[in-house]
Amino acid sequence: MTHAIRFHATGGPEVMRLEQTEVGAPGPGQARVRHSYVAVNFIDVYFRTGRYPLALPNGIGSDAVGVVEAVGAGVVDVKPGDRVGYLLGPQGAYADVRLMPAEFLIPLPDGVSDSTAATLMMKGMTAQYLFRQVVPLQGGETILYHAAAGGVGLVACQWAKALGVRMIGTVSTDEKAAIAKAAGCAEVIVTSREDIAKRVRELTDGKGVPVVYDSVGKDTLMASLDSLQPRGHLVSNGTSSGPVVIDTTLLAVKGSIWVTRPAMIHYATPRAHMLDMARELFDLVLAGKIRSEPSQSYALADAAEAHRALESRRTTGATVLVP
């Protein structure tokens, strides 16, 4: 028997249960993957609480890495023994073994460990599409990035530095400020004692920035808008503090601001494009420009505690579950 975290009702971390499961042979187009590491992402909280509805009961978790144990009919892109990761597909990554549509599996290159890949499947690919697709950065820009010491944030710090982008990051504590700085964030704003928009204007000689990446949402909306140049872009890539609701008239008042709420599925498909994104990410890892390892690890059975730590902002960097 194998095990997986499942939930039968939405709510707090306590709704997640470790249950015995039976994983059979893969069907056509499927692969059976035994996980070595499972990533914990804030989007998992959205599914658990019902902000992103799922049919219940259900599994939880979007991305993991491991080894292919078997493949079903018609699968040619991966084979037994391949090390793979994934970030798309059905919920259910919080498990030791599972069946996955093979089309979503990304082969891991030699030289990239499972532990590194586990911190980058969702988080690194998110940084890729934010910086290279949603608002393509060319180098030389100054940007504002909220939650710079988070899992995606620490990858973003390094990617910005590699691109030659000056990143102003926000964090909640001086400890997190030091972590973001060490990862390559050019300037850090500590939100517990600094006014975000005021500080951004000071750091940009009053001009503001052309783009803000805001994964916090409700609590930082006005600061984000007030930090932008006219015709700047607000990339609302998360809502950890609550959903973003905007009167479009405000966008005109603030300088004819562009707003987008991107989703990975629209940037990482079709498969060929997803593989190109992963190749760019892992090339930076192999070149030593992006380094990433789990900052916190929990046993699969302790997934609820991992969620409590994530939601209370007690974590920095990436959190993983170890089956």
Side-chain angles (χ1 to χ4, degrees):
M1 297 296 290
T2 57
H3 293 84
I5 297 290
R6 295 177 61 79
F7 65 117
H8 296 250
T10 57
E14 69 281 354
V15 302
M16 296 189 295
R17 305 176 185 174
L18 183 68
E19 298 181 356
Q20 284 192 334
T21 59
E22 187 170 351
V23 180
Q30 291 184 322
R32 189 173 69 231
V33 180
R34 180 168 294 275
H35 294 149
S36 53
Y37 295 92
V38 177
V40 177
N41 300 292
F42 213 93
I43 194 173
D44 304 343
V45 174
Y46 299 159
F47 284 114
R48 192 203 74 222
T49 59
R51 182 178 294 181
Y52 292 174
L54 287 173
L56 297 177
N58 215 312
I60 189 169
S62 302
D63 67 300
V65 300
V67 63
V68 175
E69 290 190 324
V71 298
V75 175
V76 296
D77 290 328
V78 296
K79 63 185 185 302
D82 283 353
R83 296 168 55 243
V84 296
Y86 61 86
L87 67 153
L88 298 178
Q91 287 288 295
Y94 288 18
D96 45 17
V97 181
R98 72 178 299 202
L99 297 177
M100 274 293 294
E103 64 181 310
F104 296 127
L105 299 180
I106 300 172
L108 301 181
D110 293 339
V112 177
S113 69
D114 283 17
S115 59
T116 290
T119 68
L120 293 173
M121 295 312 304
M122 178 70 77
K123 300 173 181 68
M125 294 282 272
T126 296
Q128 196 282 341
Y129 88 81
L130 291 178
F131 283 4
R132 307 295 285 155
Q133 298 186 69
V134 178
V135 179
L137 300 176
Q138 305 301 319
E141 300 96 336
T142 297
I143 65 171
L144 176 62
Y145 192 100
H146 290 293
V152 181
L154 291 182
V155 179
C157 290
Q158 297 175 78
W159 207 312
K161 184 177 180 180
L163 289 171
V165 170
R166 181 190 182 208
M167 178 167 150
I168 303 171
T170 71
V171 297
S172 58
T173 67
D174 288 305
E175 179 188 15
K176 291 184 177 183
I179 292 170
K181 277 272 197 176
C185 194
E187 308 284 350
V188 183
I189 298 170
V190 181
T191 58
S192 57
R193 57 180 170 78
E194 295 183 277
D195 182 292
I196 295 172
K198 179 181 178 182
R199 187 70 182 126
V200 168
R201 294 291 172 178
E202 291 172 352
L203 291 169
T204 58
D205 297 324
K207 297 176 183 177
V209 294
V211 56
V212 175
Y213 298 92
D214 190 341
S215 63
V216 178
K218 179 182 177 182
D219 290 354
T220 50
L221 172 61
M222 292 308 299
S224 294
L225 293 175
D226 289 338
S227 297
L228 282 164
Q229 298 173 358
R231 294 184 293 172
H233 289 76
L234 171 59
V235 180
S236 177
N237 58 297
T239 52
S240 62
S241 69
V244 171
V245 180
I246 302 178
D247 179 346
T248 55
T249 303
L250 184 62
L251 301 179
V253 172
K254 295 295 183 180
S256 297
I257 301 303
W258 296 84
V259 179
T260 183
R261 179 64 167 96
M264 177 69 75
I265 188 67
H266 302 126
Y267 287 88
T269 53
R271 176 175 172 78
H273 186 56
M274 178 180 69
L275 294 178
D276 285 342
M277 291 170 62
R279 189 174 300 111
E280 182 178 12
L281 168 63
F282 289 130
D283 282 350
L284 287 172
V285 175
L286 293 170
K289 295 183 178 179
I290 290 180
R291 296 179 174 86
S292 186
E293 288 291 335
S295 298
Q296 298 85 208
S297 298
Y298 295 84
L300 178 64
D302 295 330
E305 181 54 34
H307 275 223
R308 291 186 185 99
L310 187 68
E311 290 180 275
S312 64
R313 304 179 77 176
R314 288 187 277 125
T315 64
T316 58
T319 300
V320 298
L321 304 176
V322 183

